[in-house]
Amino acid sequence: MAMVERVFSGVQPTGNLHLGNYLGAFVNFVKLQETHNCIYCVVDMHAITQGVDVWGGPAELTRCTREVTAAFIASGVDPKKHIVFNQSQVTGHAELAWIFNCVARMGWLNRMTQFKDKAGKDREAASVGLYDYPVLMAADILVYRATHVPVGEDQKQHLELSRDIAQKFNNDFADSIRGHGFNDGLFFPLPEPVITGPATRVMSLRDGTKKMSKSDSSDNSRINLTDDAETIAAKIRKAKTDPEPLPSEEKGLEGRPEADNLVGIYAGLSGLSKAQVLAEFGGGQFSNFKNALVELCVTKLAPIASEMKRLVANPDHVDSILIDGAERAEAIATETMKAAKDIVGFIRKR
Ligand code: TRP
C-alpha cells in the first residue's frame, strides 16, 4: 500500500447550509479536486451525538444527508472522479474507532474544547458518543490513510488529536507494523490541516463580530444555500454596515467588522484578494459596492440553489450517488482494516 496524497473531509448533515459552509469548506473541496484524490463524507454518525431534539430525528437526518450531498455536487464536487458518500455505510469507520478508543487517552479527550462547549453545564447528561466524537473523526480520516484534511479553525484541535492517535498507534505497534511489511514503521500518516482561501470565516450579516450560523434566530443574518435570487438580494441590501465609505486599503477595515465581512465575502466569491476588491471599490459609496455584491452573490449562488433543488427532488438519484461512493470508499477502508487487524493481532477471515 503506497502512501498517496489523499484528502478527506466530513460535513455533518444538520440542515441549513449557508454561505459560511460554502466559502469556508465547499470552495476548498472543489479546488482540492484538481490536485488530490478526494473523499468527501456526510458524517451521519457524528450527527446523532447530541440529543434527538438537536438533530431532529430520523426523517430529518435522512433529509439533511441528501441535502448536504446535493450541496457538495451543486458546488462543483465531482462524485465520479472523487468519492462522495455517507459515513454509516462504511463499517470501517466504527471498527477503527474502537481500536482508536483503546489508543487514545482520557486525558487527551478531556482537553477537547468542543466537547465542553457542546456538553454545556450538565456534562453527566452528555452522550458517550459526544465525548468520543473526536476519536470517530480520527477513524474517518485514517481508515483512508488520508494525508490532508480541509477543516475550519474550530476543528484544528480535533485534527491534532488525530495526529496524536496515529502517532501512538504507530509507536505502540511499531514491531508488528514492521513485521507486516510496513518497513518505514509508518502505518498511519499524520494528517495535516489544509486551510485555504481568503474568506474562510464568514460572519453574520447582522453583526460582524459573530460567525454566520445556522442556529442564529434571525434568518437575515445568513445567506442560505437554498435562498433564491430575490431573497439573497434582500438580505444583502439589509446587511448591517457603517456610515463610512469603503477604504482603499485593507488596513482601513480594522475596527469595521461589518465592512470587513462584506469585502471578505466579495473576495471569497470572486477569487480576488481583499486588497484587489478595495482597489476597485475603495473610496466609493457603500451602496455601489452593495449593488456589485448583490450581483456577484446572485450570479454565484442562485445556480447552486436551483441545482440543489433539482437534486433533492430526486432522492433516488442522490442515494445512488452515495451508494456508489460508499462502495468505492469501502474498497479502500477494507484494505486498511485488514492490515490494522493483522497489526493488532486480531484473527480474521482470509
Ligand atoms: N467534526 C467536523 C465538523 O463538525 C466534521 C467531521 C467529522 C470531519 N469527521 C471528519 C471533518 C473528518 C474532517 C475530517 O466540522
Side-chain angles (χ1 to χ4, degrees):
M1 259 196 282
M3 292 269 187
V4 283
E5 282 217 337
R6 181 177 278 143
V7 163
F8 181 96
S9 196
V11 174
Q12 289 203 45
T14 41
N16 270 353
L17 293 165
H18 53 70
L19 184 61
N21 301 105
Y22 179 70
L23 287 179
F26 302 165
V27 168
N28 294 336
F29 290 4
V30 171
K31 195 138 206 243
L32 286 163
Q33 297 184 118
E34 293 165 18
T35 49
H36 291 73
N37 294 322
C38 302
I39 303 178
Y40 296 126
C41 182
V42 187
V43 289
D44 49 7
M45 289 158 72
H46 278 107
I48 62 170
T49 51
Q50 283 181 284
V52 65
D53 52 317
V54 176
W55 56 270
E60 181 66 1
L61 182 62
T62 304
R63 189 190 72 76
C64 290
T65 301
R66 291 182 181 133
E67 191 172 280
V68 172
T69 308
F72 282 168
I73 293 162
S75 302
V77 169
D78 182 341
K80 289 211 172 76
K81 286 205 189 112
H82 300 271
I83 294 178
V84 174
F85 75 109
N86 58 307
Q87 186 184 29
S88 60
Q89 288 203 73
V90 178
T91 56
H93 295 246
E95 280 187 283
L96 187 58
W98 183 260
I99 295 176
F100 284 173
N101 276 333
C102 304
V103 172
R105 288 344 219 187
M106 296 281 288
W108 301 358
L109 287 179
N110 287 340
R111 285 198 286 275
M112 297 295 114
T113 58
Q114 187 173 318
F115 173 76
K116 294 178 195 169
D117 292 345
K118 286 194 179 174
K121 284 212 177 74
D122 192 3
R123 248 178 244 179
E124 296 279 311
S127 77
V128 177
L130 185 66
Y131 183 70
D132 203 31
Y133 178 118
V135 176
L136 179 60
M137 181 165 159
D140 295 340
I141 299 163
L142 293 169
V143 83
Y144 303 102
R145 305 168 90 214
T147 50
H148 293 81
V149 183
V151 281
E153 270 310 306
D154 65 325
Q155 294 299 314
K156 270 187 157 171
Q157 193 186 33
H158 288 163
L159 203 59
E160 266 163 43
L161 185 90
S162 300
R163 298 167 67 87
D164 291 343
I165 291 174
Q167 188 143 39
K168 184 160 160 57
F169 183 96
N170 289 343
N171 288 342
D172 287 357
F173 295 100
D175 293 342
S176 187
I177 287 171
R178 282 179 215 280
H180 283 92
F182 299 92
N183 297 327
D184 58 3
L186 279 175
F187 180 63
F188 287 119
L190 307 187
E192 285 177 31
V194 192
I195 292 165
T196 43
T200 36
R201 246 171 99 79
V202 179
M203 311 306 280
S204 158
L205 298 179
R206 310 299 307 163
D207 176 352
T209 64
K210 281 201 319 205
K211 245 176 103 168
M212 185 174 283
S213 158
K214 63 172 194 281
S215 48
D216 194 311
S217 60
S218 161
D219 195 54
N220 281 327
S221 71
R222 64 183 160 259
I223 295 174
N224 301 305
L225 288 187
T226 48
D227 285 345
D228 60 21
E230 290 86 272
T231 313
I232 295 171
K235 285 180 178 175
I236 292 187
R237 294 226 162 80
K238 275 189 215 137
K240 188 176 166 195
T241 51
D242 57 42
E244 307 294 318
L246 274 182
S248 310
E249 281 169 25
E250 236 182 304
K251 228 174 133 25
L253 291 171
E254 279 171 20
R256 299 179 62 187
E258 283 80 18
D260 187 31
N261 186 37
L262 295 180
V263 171
I265 291 171
Y266 195 101
L269 286 174
S270 63
L272 299 172
S273 66
K274 281 187 193 175
Q276 287 170 314
V277 176
L278 292 176
E280 189 171 342
F281 294 100
Q285 288 294 319
F286 222 114
S287 55
N288 284 343
F289 173 66
K290 266 199 176 176
N291 287 337
L293 184 61
V294 166
E295 200 179 306
L296 179 65
C297 281
V298 168
T299 314
K300 292 275 175 179
L301 300 176
I304 295 177
S306 62
E307 177 66 357
M308 279 177 69
K309 218 178 196 170
R310 194 183 69 80
L311 286 163
V312 296
N314 193 345
D316 288 346
H317 173 61
V318 175
D319 294 0
S320 74
I321 291 170
L322 293 172
I323 292 164
D324 168 68
E327 277 170 11
R328 287 181 288 131
E330 180 142 49
I332 304 168
T334 302
E335 288 310 302
T336 307
M337 286 316 298
K338 279 185 187 165
K341 286 179 181 179
D342 289 345
I343 288 165
V344 173
F346 291 154
I347 294 171
R348 63 177 176 85
K349 191 171 68 193
R350 265 154 228 277

